[in-house]
């Protein structure tokens, strides 16, 4: 349940559903496995999995939700190989060329034939809503998957006015300035990884690992016009992560101080431990996100356009 990536969105209008009302809405669109001719299925599941059946998990004003996506795996290379075999057989046997229209029709028939035999792959997507902070936080490093969850939530509850959380200062410029000056805003400290990009057309990229990011060598790269696009940060010795130029948080890790706090709970069962973990995680992330936003100059409230809603869920997940 501990999040490992963060896509953060800001609600531009208050989230008016409470946990009970939201659960009722989610229950109307549950996940169902793909049927034999269905390439993909997407729906809501209980965040606690086998430990509970509730459609949401709420604690201290935060509401956890979970979605499940299942897709049939039918590699394009397999379809292409079988299609070419069929085409060669027909062309040789009937001494004629297959037209483009016939080729497409054969491909469609082949997909129809193979789809029921294809393996399925599933993934869960977790998110929590923080109405008191006007935020939705999604555990995903992928923008398309995060948008798919938002689009599903929008379809489920009727409307959802959100925008990606942005700040008044440009994230990349701030991170570049920090390394150039050798000073990071408290309570952050530099880790040992970063990515530098030459902002000229077709510019190069330098990725550094296990490096002193405040060393003169890094300053020299920055002085040539390179900008920091990813930066390894430590927050209060409680969280470490990579932050990129779009303020997406990747490889999020809760450090020993936080894990010890969760372990000390001595919860009686999986559901109780989930509640403890969720309570601790959301409290930590509330402070972390606040400090991260302040480090980048505060919230940009001028960004009022809702995140684009794809026409279909399949398009969102492409």
């Amino acid at each position: 349940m501990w999040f490992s990536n963060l896509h953060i969105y800001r609600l531009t209008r208050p989230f008016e559903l409470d946990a009970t009302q939201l659960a009722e809405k989610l229950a109307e669109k549950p996940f169902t496995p793909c049927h034999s001719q269905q390439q993909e299925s997407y729906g809501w599941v209980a965040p606690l999995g086998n430990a509970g059946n509730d459609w949401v998990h709420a604690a201290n004003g935060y509401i956890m939700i979970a979605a499940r996506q299942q897709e049939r795996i039918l590699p394009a290379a397999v379809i292409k190989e079988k299609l070419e075999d069929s085409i060669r057989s027909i062309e040789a046997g009937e001494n004629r060329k297959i037209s483009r229209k016939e080729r497409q029709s054969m491909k469609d028939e082949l997909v129809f034939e193979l789809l029921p035999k294809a393996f399925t792959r599933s993934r869960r997507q977790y998110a929590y809503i923080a109405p008191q902070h006007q935020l939705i936080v999604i555990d995903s490093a992928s923008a398309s998957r995060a948008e798919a969850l938002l689009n599903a939530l929008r379809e489920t509850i009727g409307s959802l006015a959100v925008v990606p959380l942005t700040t008044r200062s440009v994230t990349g410029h701030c991170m570049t300035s920090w390394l150039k000056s050798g000073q990071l805003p408290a309570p952050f400290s530099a880790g040992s990884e970063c990515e530098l990009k030459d902002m000229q057309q077709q510019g190069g990229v330098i990725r550094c690992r296990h490096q002193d990011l405040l060393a003169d060598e890094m300053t020299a790269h920055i002085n040539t016009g390179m900008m920091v696009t990813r930066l390894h940060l430590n927050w209060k010795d409680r969280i470490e992560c990579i932050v990129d130029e779009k303020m997406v948080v990747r490889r999020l890790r809760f450090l020993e101080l936080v894990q010890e706090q969760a372990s000390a709970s001595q919860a009686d069962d999986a559901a109780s431990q989930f509640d403890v973990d969720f309570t601790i995680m959301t409290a930590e992330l509330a402070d972390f996100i606040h400090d991260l936003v302040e480090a980048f100059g505060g919230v940009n409230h001028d960004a009022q356009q809702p995140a684009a809603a794809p026409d279909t869920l399949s398009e969102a997940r492409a």
Side-chain angles (χ1 to χ4, degrees), residues 12-305:
T12 59
R13 291 198 297 270
F15 191 81
E16 297 180 347
L17 299 178
D18 61 24
T20 301
Q21 293 168 328
L22 178 58
E24 291 173 353
K25 295 284 188 180
L26 300 182
E28 296 173 0
K29 294 185 179 292
F31 168 80
T32 55
C34 292
H35 58 67
S36 62
Q37 289 298 330
Q38 188 177 11
Q39 289 188 307
E40 182 185 43
S41 178
Y42 196 94
W44 303 107
V45 294
L48 271 70
N50 295 330
N53 297 318
D54 293 336
W55 291 99
V56 303
H57 184 83
N60 295 337
Y62 300 94
I63 307 172
M64 169 80 86
I65 59 176
R68 183 178 174 187
Q69 177 191 13
Q70 185 180 80
E71 55 187 345
R72 291 194 175 273
I73 304 169
L74 195 56
V78 172
I79 298 173
K80 182 179 180 182
E81 181 180 352
K82 288 186 175 294
L83 180 61
E84 294 300 332
D85 289 344
S86 297
I87 289 174
R88 281 194 296 268
S89 177
I90 293 173
E91 290 181 340
E94 300 180 9
N95 194 27
R96 66 183 181 86
K97 285 289 185 182
I98 297 295
S99 68
R100 180 178 299 179
K101 182 178 180 180
E102 189 176 1
R103 180 189 180 94
Q104 184 60 49
S105 178
M106 290 174 63
K107 181 179 179 181
D108 293 342
E109 291 177 3
L110 189 58
V111 170
F112 185 83
E113 176 188 344
L114 294 176
L115 201 57
K117 305 173 186 177
F119 290 107
T120 58
R121 175 177 61 190
S122 296
R123 64 167 61 92
R124 286 176 179 261
Q125 188 79 70
Y126 292 90
Y128 71 83
I129 304 163
Q132 67 272 50
H133 304 304
Q134 295 289 92
L135 296 176
I136 296 180
V137 181
I138 303 175
D139 182 11
S140 177
S142 164
S144 62
R145 290 177 187 167
E147 290 288 343
L149 185 143
L150 289 177
N151 196 49
L153 184 58
R154 183 179 293 111
E155 290 183 358
T156 299
I157 66 177
S159 65
L160 184 67
V162 295
V163 294
L165 179 63
T166 58
T167 54
R168 287 196 289 264
S169 299
V170 178
T171 305
H173 291 171
C174 286
M175 295 190 297
T176 303
S177 175
W178 298 346
L179 294 195
K180 186 174 183 178
S181 67
Q183 295 182 335
L184 275 72
F188 292 97
S189 59
S192 59
E193 298 181 39
C194 77
E195 178 182 274
L196 296 157
K197 186 177 293 185
D198 188 338
M199 303 313 293
Q200 300 301 317
Q201 188 173 10
Q202 297 181 340
V205 175
I206 296 175
R207 295 182 178 90
C208 304
R209 300 189 68 181
H210 309 299
Q211 298 289 326
D212 178 0
L213 301 185
L214 303 182
D216 292 342
E217 180 182 359
M218 302 302 300
T219 304
H221 287 307
I222 291 171
N223 287 337
T224 65
M226 302 195 83
M227 187 171 78
V228 178
T229 51
R230 293 193 181 193
L231 182 61
H232 184 200
L233 294 174
N234 179 296
W235 178 76
K236 296 183 178 181
D237 289 329
R238 301 180 71 84
I239 287 175
E240 67 176 19
C241 62
I242 301 288
V243 177
D244 71 13
E245 76 273 26
K246 295 181 179 179
M247 215 172 75
V248 176
V249 178
R250 306 171 188 273
R251 288 164 48 191
L252 177 72
R253 192 162 72 93
F254 293 87
L255 301 180
E256 188 174 352
L257 290 173
V258 179
Q259 295 297 339
E260 286 179 351
Q261 184 180 351
S263 299
S265 67
Q266 298 181 342
D268 295 332
D269 52 36
S272 298
Q273 188 62 57
F274 186 100
D275 185 67
V276 169
D277 293 346
F278 179 57
T279 300
I280 293 173
M281 183 186 75
T282 50
E284 293 291 329
L285 288 180
D287 291 342
F288 167 77
I289 293 170
H290 173 270
D291 288 347
L292 189 66
V293 168
E294 289 303 306
F296 292 124
V299 176
N300 175 19
H301 289 284
D302 293 333
Q304 293 292 336
Q305 292 301 315

